[in-house]
């Protein structure tokens, strides 16, 4: 028969628990008194009657038609203690063991009381609103996600709602954070945060700063050396009634980042302007070209874009390195340097310098990191095709800024690639002064792009902290892996190449001497010439707070030719494989120089260079001159020779000569950066002086012209007109436009088709801005015949509510958009509203 739910409050005292309410029901004033159960000796024994009187749910009244008695036990575990050989004791003739059921009732009542007294966590509020105190103070409010993102070494606030008011005299509480596959207290990946009265710096602690009935507000402090990453949060409570542990909720995971605002963090940066630029700026400038023709393009780093933080942490996780090492920026930067390229660890970007990009995307087509990182993350770690040095560097900047390490993208013009750790750039010539291709493995790239990251270097002697060079382009291996850095710029500048990591390679990139060797008849080689000022020019990065170019060459090397610079070169070379190789003094009464007027030749036009030979002696000189013009990859790798000349020059004092290169000679060989190189070698007959120099130049490409159309307002449709003129006397085939802008529109590919010779075209792309403030809209063009064509326009987007209020005051609109003081809350309809809706 059904069991009635009854209250035993205000009943007469029975047994040891005279007035306990078990909470099975509440008495009301309308409730009628039911008669007390009467004792029937024929049907009941005394114990059963008493149990039914005190706890009808545990011992309901039996139906006369039932064949056997039914016992309702509140706590199953008590039966186990009475079992014998796996069987429960059996009562004879339906009789119950009174003592046993008294213990059951005793446990039932106390379990209920203890459950009420146990301190349990009901909810956790991390106060993770982007506009809230935590994310604003931690400078993480720009991350476009609802995750709780904070920086280490800084306090954050949180609310905990408990099952009853917290009593600090009798209750205990602590937080636990866990990260990585095997969290360990000793390794800092399992953190136990105790509750204390007053917080102290440089330790994990929490303190109650406010209590509101069952809610307590905690201020939590983290270590400035804590490992970065995603932490799982749980709360454990202890009181006299026992221990309770909250259930892990992924929505309460904590994302911990490096903190350039914290003086105790090794990535601390003192200047607020520099923090704004190197941590918070999501758009940058990347330089390319040659030292005489510096080009620039805008790059969307997008480190705060939704999903990028998760992608960056995925890159760290995929490296397989232990999370216990993720508190050291030196280690993290080294891991990222390896993981952005793909040769040995299936990293983010696959490099390609072949000129054939049919299986992926041309490197010149990318204009930001967001697409690349999202594609890598979405495809579970499949390398993205394709990239070259500026792509690797752009993605590294995104990842490091996202993780909280100040970073910038750096371009070095005339950048050497030393393949044998000689710390010199060697050029081998045969008996006729022609280059020996198979020996010339060293090269000088027209430009090379890498990164600087900012951190202290406690692992190096004092004075070597600050900017560190990091290079993710896979050139040479470091400890068996394609990576480079971090190398201290101070160490590189002074030639201290014995300091880690990879300082010799970086030094050779920016300050190696170029040594020319000639093969002798017996097969040996003799040093015949050296150039001391060929490598490392106009090292460039975006200026702080503006789009201007900032020359930082002085951070990498002393002024060329100075005593300090020569000492640094000699110091470095002592640790190279050709320690005894230094320039031999030679007569220098004849010099050679190559110059170019203005900004240089345009794509589609003839290239005119001026070759100036000067004789500073008082006598006539006869020079045997060899000249060669070749199309080059920007890395300095030879593609094709387009012109060779040999001539004898009778040189009078200060005499010069001019060389012209027609477009038809090079048009079919150009690739990627439209780069060419002139190599000059020669010998003066009278003095046996050797002349040698190389001159790199590129053909300038036109820009895309972007013209915004319409009022830029959040949520309002507008457009951009993109214009382009084909500079070539040939048709551009299968042209693709690429448009994107953070807060304006996601990356779009537009398959335009063919563009005729010298033709001007335009297209319009519509979009709806999503974020207010100053924005940049980027566009690029790509086709087989022409690359490195791009453009940018600045757009200042207004907030819709503010714009609506202004237009209303001007009378341009009839309606006025009300700006709520706080986010509106959708309330449930009342009963009357439901009835009205049903009637309607």
């Amino acid at each position: 028969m059904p069991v009635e739910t009854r209250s035993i409050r205000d009943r007469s005292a029975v047994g040891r628990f005279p007035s306990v309410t078990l909470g099975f029901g509440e008495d009301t004033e309308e409730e009628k008194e039911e008669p007390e159960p009467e004792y029937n000796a024929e049907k009941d024994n005394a114990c059963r009657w008493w149990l039914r009187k005190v706890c009808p749910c545990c011992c309901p009244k039996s139906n006369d038609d039932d064949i056997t008695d039914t016992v309702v036990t509140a706590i199953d575990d008590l039966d186990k203690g009475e079992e014998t050989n796996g069987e429960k004791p059996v009562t004879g003739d339906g009789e119950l063991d009174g003592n046993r059921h008294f213990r059951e009732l005793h446990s039932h009542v106390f379990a209920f009381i203890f459950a009420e007294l146990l301190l349990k966590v009901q909810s956790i509020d991390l106060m993770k609103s982007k506009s809230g105190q935590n994310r604003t103070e931690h400078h993480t409010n720009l991350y476009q996600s609802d995750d709780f993102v904070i920086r280490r070494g800084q306090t954050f606030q949180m609310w905990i709602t408990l099952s009853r008011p917290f009593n600090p005299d009798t209750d205990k509480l602590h937080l636990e954070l866990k990260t990585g596959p095997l969290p360990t207290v000793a390794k800092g990946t399992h953190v136990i945060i105790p509750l204390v009265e007053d917080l102290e710096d440089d330790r994990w602690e929490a303190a109650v700063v406010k209590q509101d009935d069952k809610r307590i507000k905690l201020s939590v402090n983290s270590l400035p050396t804590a490992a970065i990453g995603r932490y799982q949060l749980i709360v454990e409570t202890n009181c006299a009634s026992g221990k309770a542990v909250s259930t892990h909720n992924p929505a309460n995971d904590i994302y911990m980042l490096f903190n350039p605002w914290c003086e105790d963090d090794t990535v601390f940066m003192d200047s607020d302007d520099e923090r704004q630029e190197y941590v918070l700026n999501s758009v940058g400038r990347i330089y390319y070209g040659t030292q005489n023709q510096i080009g620039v393009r805008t790059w969307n780093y997008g480190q705060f874009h939704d999903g990028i933080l998760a992608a960056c942490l995925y890159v760290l996780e995929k490296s397989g390195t232990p999370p216990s090492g993720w508190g050291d920026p030196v280690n993290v930067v080294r891991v990222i340097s390896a993981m952005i390229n793909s040769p040995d660890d299936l990293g983010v970007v696959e490099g390609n310098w072949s000129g054939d990009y049919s299986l992926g995307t041309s490197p010149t087509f990318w204009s930001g990191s967001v697409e690349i990182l999202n594609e890598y993350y979405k495809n579970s770690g499949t390398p993205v095709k394709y990239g070259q040095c500026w792509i690797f560097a752009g993605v590294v900047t995104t990842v490091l800024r996202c993780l909280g390490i100040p970073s910038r993208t750096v371009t070095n013009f005339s950048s050497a690639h030393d393949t044998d750790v000689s710390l010199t750039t060697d050029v081998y010539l045969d008996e006729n002064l022609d280059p020996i291709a198979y020996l010339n493995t060293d090269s000088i790239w027209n430009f090379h792009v890498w990164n600087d990251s900012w951190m202290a270097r406690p692992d190096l002697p004092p004075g070597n902290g600050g900017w560190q060079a990091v290079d993710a382009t896979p050139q040479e291996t470091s400890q068996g892996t394609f990576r480079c850095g971090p190398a201290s710029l101070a160490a590189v500048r002074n030639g201290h190449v014995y300091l880690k990591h990879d300082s010799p390679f970086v030094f050779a990139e920016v300050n190696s001497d170029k040594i020319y060797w000639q093969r002798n008849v017996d097969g040996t080689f003799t040093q015949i010439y050296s150039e001391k000022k060929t490598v490392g020019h106009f090292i460039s990065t975006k200026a702080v707070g503006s789009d201007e170019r900032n020359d930082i060459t002085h951070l990498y090397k002393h002024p060329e030719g100075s005593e300090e610079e020569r000492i640094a070169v000699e110091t470095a070379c002592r640790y190279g494989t050709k320690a005894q190789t230094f320039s031999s003094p030679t007569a220098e009464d004849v010099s050679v120089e190559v110059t170019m007027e203005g900004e240089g030749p345009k794509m589609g036009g003839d290239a005119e260079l001026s070759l100036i030979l000067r004789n500073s002696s008082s006598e006539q000189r006869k020079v045997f001159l060899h000249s060669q013009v070749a199309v080059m990859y920007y890395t300095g790798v030879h593609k094709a020779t387009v012109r060779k000349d040999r001539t004898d020059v009778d040189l009078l004092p200060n005499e010069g000569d001019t060389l012209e290169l027609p477009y038809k000679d090079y048009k079919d060989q150009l690739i990627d950066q439209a780069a060419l190189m002139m190599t000059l070698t020669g010998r003066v007959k009278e003095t046996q002086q050797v002349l040698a120099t190389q001159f790199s130049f590129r053909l300038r490409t036109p820009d895309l012209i972007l013209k915004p159309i319409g009022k830029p307002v959040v949520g309002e449709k507008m457009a951009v007109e993109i214009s382009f003129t084909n500079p070539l006397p040939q048709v551009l085939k299968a042209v693709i436009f690429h448009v994107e802008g953070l807060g304006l529109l996601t990356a779009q590919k537009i398959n335009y088709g063919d563009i005729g010779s010298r033709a001007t075209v335009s297209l319009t792309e519509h979009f709806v801005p999503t974020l207010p403030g100053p924005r940049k809209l980027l566009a690029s063009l790509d086709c087989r015949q022409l690359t490195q064509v791009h453009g940018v326009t600045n757009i200042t987007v207004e907030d819709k509510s503010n714009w609506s209020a202004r237009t209303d005051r001007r009378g341009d609109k009839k309606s006025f958009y009300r700006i709520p003081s706080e986010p509106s809350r959708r309330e449930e309809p009342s009963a009357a509203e439901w009835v009205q809706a049903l009637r309607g």
Side-chain angles (χ1 to χ4, degrees), residues 292-293 593-612 629 643 657-663 666 676 678 695-699:
N292 299 302
Q293 297 167 282
E593 182 183 3
V594 180
T595 63
M596 180 173 55
E597 291 187 4
E599 295 181 346
K602 294 182 179 179
M603 176 70 74
D606 294 341
E608 185 172 308
L609 306 176
S610 295
L611 172 61
I612 302 175
V629 179
R643 181 169 176 172
D657 198 4
T658 300
L659 176 69
E660 185 177 284
L661 181 65
Y663 170 71
Y666 62 78
L676 299 103
M678 171 183 280
F695 183 81
S696 297
F697 61 100
R698 69 179 179 92
L699 304 175

Side-chain angles (χ1 to χ4, degrees), residues 681-756:
T681 56
R683 188 187 298 275
V684 180
K685 180 179 179 181
E686 290 81 5
T687 63
Q688 297 300 302
Q689 176 189 351
V690 173
L691 303 176
T693 190
Q694 291 178 319
F695 183 81
S696 297
F697 61 100
R698 69 179 179 92
L699 304 175
R700 293 186 294 117
T701 54
D703 293 328
L704 295 179
I705 307 301
L706 278 64
K707 179 182 177 183
I709 302 173
K711 185 70 175 178
V713 180
V714 171
E716 297 287 337
K717 190 174 182 179
M718 65 174 297
V720 62
E721 181 184 71
I722 305 171
S723 303
F724 167 73
T725 299
N726 178 9
L728 302 182
Q730 64 184 106
V731 176
L732 303 183
K733 299 286 187 180
V735 173
I736 299 176
F737 288 90
H738 182 275
V739 189
E740 71 169 304
L742 296 176
L744 298 173
L745 81 164
T746 55
Q748 304 289 328
K749 287 184 180 180
I750 304 169
N751 295 304
Y752 188 86
D754 298 345
I755 298 177

Side-chain angles (χ1 to χ4, degrees), residues 213-283:
D213 193 29
K214 297 180 182 180
R215 301 175 71 225
I216 57 172
K217 185 178 184 181
L218 300 184
S219 182
V220 185
N221 197 31
S222 62
L223 274 177
T225 57
I228 65 163
R230 180 175 180 172
Y231 285 84
Q232 296 180 359
L233 169 67
I234 62 171
V235 181
E236 181 175 312
T237 58
N238 282 275
C239 63
S241 299
K243 178 178 75 172
V245 180
S246 66
T247 303
H248 167 243
N249 181 358
N252 290 330
D253 284 353
I254 297 176
Y255 292 79
M256 186 77 69
L257 306 179
F258 290 104
N259 193 352
W261 286 264
C262 174
E263 294 186 7
D264 295 322
D265 197 315
T266 48
V267 302
F268 171 69
M269 180 170 266
D270 192 31
S271 168
D272 189 62
D273 289 340
E274 290 186 341
R275 288 193 297 254
Q276 186 70 34
E277 180 68 46
Y278 299 131
V279 181
L280 300 181
N281 194 354
S282 57
V283 181

Side-chain angles (χ1 to χ4, degrees), residues 383-487:
V384 178
K385 301 177 179 180
Y386 292 105
Q388 292 179 6
C389 69
W390 69 93
I391 308 295
F392 294 112
V395 175
V396 167
T397 298
T398 297
V399 174
L400 295 186
R401 288 187 183 181
C402 182
L403 298 178
I405 299 176
S407 179
R408 62 189 183 189
T409 307
V410 174
T411 303
N412 178 38
F413 293 96
S414 296
S415 184
H417 179 184
D418 176 24
T419 58
D420 59 0
V421 202
S422 65
L423 299 178
T424 57
T425 303
D426 301 304
V427 179
Y428 293 93
L429 307 173
D430 62 16
E431 295 85 350
N432 297 318
L433 295 179
D434 286 327
I436 304 175
Y438 73 92
L439 290 181
N440 290 327
T441 55
D442 288 355
S443 60
I444 297 180
W445 300 21
N446 287 344
F447 71 97
H448 181 45
V449 188
W450 62 70
N451 301 89
D452 283 347
S453 56
W454 181 271
M455 66 193 69
R457 289 299 300 269
D459 57 325
L460 300 182
N464 287 287
W467 288 115
Q468 313 288 315
V470 183
D471 194 348
T473 301
Q475 299 173 88
E476 302 293 330
T477 59
S478 172
Q479 296 177 319
T481 301
F482 281 103
R483 59 187 170 186
C484 180

